[in-house]
């Protein structure tokens, strides 16, 4: 039995508007067994130094943060595409080009480094929206799930949990044009063959679990949406889908189906509490109502949405409709959950020209508990008895955070201010350094192999 006692200078506890000072957190075998806010006068029993063996955590300690939406291989594009002109569609061609250089070995190396970068940023769990399934020309590997296995192994090496959202990707357009070129690597032919392949895969290790994804209404024909949704529902697995990321997607769906993408998904049983719509940047008022009524979640990816000039979604309106909001770094133009969280508020200010839409505690919830729940890890994302012992400590003495009120860290701190990360009770990051992965060197090596640089 492994028991550890942590003394947090400040800890952000559930349902609190701001961090609580001086909190003793006790963990056994990766679970939180006690959370004790200490009185201002000192330990509960002044005659015994009950804190002598406690590991002190200076700064603000948060629950583990969740990256609800990731495409690990997109990290290879950072710094190579962001200065160009165009829009999402022109960027997408550059993204497809990267896939030509990926195989199970090179993807393992890249994803390991990317997931370790996430750990440095305080991310203890990631949802990998995975559609790069097959070899060149769409030829399956000897193990049809070799790329999935590489991602599961990468997360194990990096030390974080993974929900592998195996993605069904069958067509190139809403009207059913076939996959061509690089897209051939994504397809399984039809949803039944997708389901057969996914059903044959069991993630290795307790750190990983399997979910499903519908890439978009562009990529899965309407008559096959229910097959994917049914697979997820029968297994009580998370189901994710890109939704209304681009106005062109909405226009094409209306032209072909006479419905918005949200309406089409509702017609085929895709929406519901286990489903997360990614982006939802351009929903109609009716769409927001459908998502709220069905308790479908929405994952916002602000740094990607602004990088690709996608637009600003109606975050506050969606939250007010009862839609759980979570956060993702998507294309990894930035891996910084603090930047994603504050962008939810700051983008809403740009959209409305008013301030004060999301309280800091709401941003924390989106970055932690809501994201974990969207990925199927409902026992994570809160510093509470019975929860997973995931602790992320953020310093309050950097040039960014010095003098900042503890609750204000969401508007001041960045990934570089994370000093320690504990995942399931095990220290993974200490003094801002990953304990098992040389993250900068491995990122450089992996990107050089993938980009030819």
């Amino acid at each position: 039995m492994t028991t550890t006692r942590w003394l947090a200078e400040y800890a952000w506890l559930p349902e609190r508007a701001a961090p609580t000072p001086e909190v003793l957190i006790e963990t056994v075998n990766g679970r939180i067994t006690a959370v004790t806010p200490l009185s201002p006068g000192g330990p509960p029993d002044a005659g015994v130094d009950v804190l002598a063996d406690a590991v002190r955590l200076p700064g603000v300690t948060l629950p583990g943060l969740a990256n609800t939406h990731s495409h690990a291989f997109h990290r290879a594009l950072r710094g190579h595409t962001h200065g160009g002109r165009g829009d999402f569609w022109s960027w997408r061609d550059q993204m497809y080009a990267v896939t030509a250089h990926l195989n199970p070995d090179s993807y393992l190396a890249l994803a390991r480094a990317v997931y370790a970068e996430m750990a440095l940023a305080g991310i203890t769990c990631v949802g990998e929206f995975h559609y790069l399934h097959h070899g060149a020309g769409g030829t399956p590997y000897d193990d049809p799930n070799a790329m999935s296995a590489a991602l599961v192994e990468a997360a194990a090496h990096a030390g974080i949990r993974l929900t592998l959202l195996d993605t069904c990707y069958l067509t190139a357009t809403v009207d059913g044009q076939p996959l061509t070129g690089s897209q051939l690597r994504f397809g399984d032919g039809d949803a039944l063959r997708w389901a057969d392949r996914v059903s044959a895969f069991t993630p290795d290790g307790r750190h990983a679990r399997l979910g499903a994804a519908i890439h978009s209404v562009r990529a899965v024909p309407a008559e096959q949406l229910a097959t994917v949704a049914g697979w997820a529902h029968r297994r009580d697995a998370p189901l994710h889908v890109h939704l209304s990321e681009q106005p062109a997607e909405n226009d094409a769906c209306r032209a072909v189906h006479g419905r918005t993408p949200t309406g089409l998904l509702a017609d085929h049983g895709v929406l519901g509490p286990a489903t997360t719509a990614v982006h939802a940047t351009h929903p109609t008022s009716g769409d927001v109502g459908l998502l709220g009524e069905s308790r479908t979640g929405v994952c916002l990816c602000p740094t990607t949405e602004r990088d690709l000039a996608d637009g600003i979604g109606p975050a506050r309106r969606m939250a007010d409709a009862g839609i759980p909001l979570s956060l993702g770094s998507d294309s990894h133009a930035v891996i910084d959950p603090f930047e994603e969280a504050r962008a939810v508020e700051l983008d809403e200010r740009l959209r409305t020209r008013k301030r004060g839409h999301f309280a800091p505690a709401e941003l924390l919830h989106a970055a932690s508990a809501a994201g974990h729940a969207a990925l199927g890890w409902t026992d994570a994302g809160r510093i509470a008895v019975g929860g997973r012992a995931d602790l992320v400590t953020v310093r309050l003495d950097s040039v960014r955070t010095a003098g900042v009120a503890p609750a204000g860290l969401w508007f001041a701190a960045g990934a570089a201010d994370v000093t320690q990360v504990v995942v399931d009770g095990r220290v993974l990051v200490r003094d801002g350094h990953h304990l098992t992965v040389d993250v900068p060197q491995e990122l450089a090596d992996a990107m050089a192999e993938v980009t030819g640089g």
Side-chain angles (χ1 to χ4, degrees):
M1 183 171 68
T2 303
T3 302
T4 308
R5 294 150 61 83
W6 313 89
L7 179 59
E9 180 182 6
Y10 293 93
W12 211 320
L13 305 181
E15 319 305 333
R16 302 290 180 92
T20 299
E22 294 297 307
V23 177
L24 182 65
I25 304 165
E26 299 177 74
T27 67
V28 176
N29 293 339
R31 292 281 174 174
I32 298 173
T33 56
V35 178
T36 308
L38 304 181
S39 64
D45 183 350
V48 179
D49 187 2
V50 298
L51 306 180
D53 64 342
V55 179
R56 296 184 179 271
L57 301 174
V60 180
T61 296
L62 308 173
L65 306 179
N67 188 349
T68 309
H69 188 69
S70 162
H71 303 292
F73 75 90
H74 289 193
R75 174 62 175 81
L77 296 169
R78 186 187 296 177
H80 293 270
T81 64
H82 305 296
R85 294 179 179 271
D87 56 13
F88 168 85
W89 306 102
S90 56
W91 170 87
R92 191 178 70 160
D93 292 337
Q94 297 172 295
M95 179 266 288
Y96 285 161
V98 170
T99 67
H101 302 281
L102 287 167
N103 56 51
D105 290 335
S106 59
Y107 206 7
L108 169 59
L110 177 61
R112 165 186 158 104
V114 173
Y115 295 156
E117 181 184 359
M118 292 182 194
L120 289 176
I123 292 164
T124 59
C125 183
V126 60
E128 184 63 36
F129 200 100
H130 169 52
Y131 53 81
L132 184 54
H133 301 304
H134 305 299
T139 302
Y141 293 103
D142 291 341
D143 173 2
N145 289 299
M147 296 294 261
S148 299
L151 291 165
V152 171
E153 184 178 352
H157 290 181
I160 67 174
R161 292 190 300 275
L162 169 80
T163 296
L164 185 78
L165 299 161
D166 195 295
T167 304
C168 188
Y169 197 134
L170 305 172
T171 55
T173 58
V174 176
D175 61 0
Q177 294 298 308
L179 302 178
T180 60
S182 299
Q183 289 179 321
L184 290 169
R185 298 190 65 180
F186 310 158
D188 288 297
D190 59 41
L192 288 175
R193 279 179 278 185
W194 167 85
D196 286 343
R197 178 183 57 74
V198 181
S199 296
F201 180 64
T202 300
D204 185 17
R206 291 183 297 175
H207 73 291
R209 61 184 49 179
L210 190 60
I214 293 164
H215 179 274
S216 60
V217 298
R218 301 192 309 275
V220 178
E223 67 275 9
Q224 299 189 56
L225 292 170
T227 300
V228 184
W231 185 94
H233 295 160
R234 286 191 297 275
R235 288 160 177 78
D236 195 25
L239 175 63
H240 289 215
V241 55
H242 288 137
L243 181 66
S244 292
E245 183 176 2
Q246 295 290 326
E249 176 185 303
N250 292 352
D251 295 342
C253 193
R254 287 191 185 97
V256 173
H257 298 292
R259 302 278 278 147
T260 65
T262 303
L264 186 67
L265 296 178
D267 290 345
H268 292 275
V270 175
L271 304 184
T275 300
T276 297
V278 181
H279 301 303
T281 309
H282 302 282
T284 65
S285 295
D287 293 339
V288 172
L290 283 173
L291 294 170
E293 291 162 12
S294 62
R295 303 296 296 171
T296 299
V298 166
C299 174
L300 304 172
C301 305
T303 64
T304 292
E305 289 149 10
R306 72 190 183 199
D307 178 64
L308 299 181
D310 286 344
I312 299 171
R316 185 69 258 175
R317 184 153 53 92
M318 291 192 289
D320 289 343
I323 298 169
L325 300 182
S326 57
L327 301 172
S329 62
D330 192 2
S331 69
H332 311 312
V334 174
I335 295 179
D336 188 335
F338 303 94
E339 180 66 17
E340 303 292 351
R342 65 173 154 264
V344 174
E345 166 65 24
L346 298 182
D347 285 358
E348 192 76 358
R349 294 181 187 187
L350 287 175
R351 196 178 66 82
T352 64
R353 292 179 291 171
K354 294 182 180 179
R355 305 175 78 231
H357 301 274
F358 289 90
E362 290 180 282
L363 301 179
L364 169 63
H365 182 76
S368 56
H372 287 288
L375 298 175
W377 302 88
T378 54
D379 57 351
R382 294 160 56 91
I383 300 177
V385 173
R388 290 178 177 270
D390 295 351
L391 305 173
V392 174
T393 301
V394 184
R395 62 188 301 179
L396 287 176
D397 61 354
S398 75
V399 295
R400 291 163 295 277
T401 60
V404 170
L409 67 85
W410 289 107
F411 294 93
D417 297 309
V418 173
T419 57
Q420 179 156 301
V421 177
V422 176
V423 181
D424 287 328
R426 180 173 65 92
V427 177
L428 183 64
V429 173
R430 181 180 289 123
D431 297 329
H433 297 282
H434 198 287
L435 296 185
T436 60
V437 179
D438 182 345
V439 182
Q441 186 62 57
E442 292 200 17
L443 281 170
D445 292 345
M447 287 183 64
E449 181 174 355
V450 171
T451 62

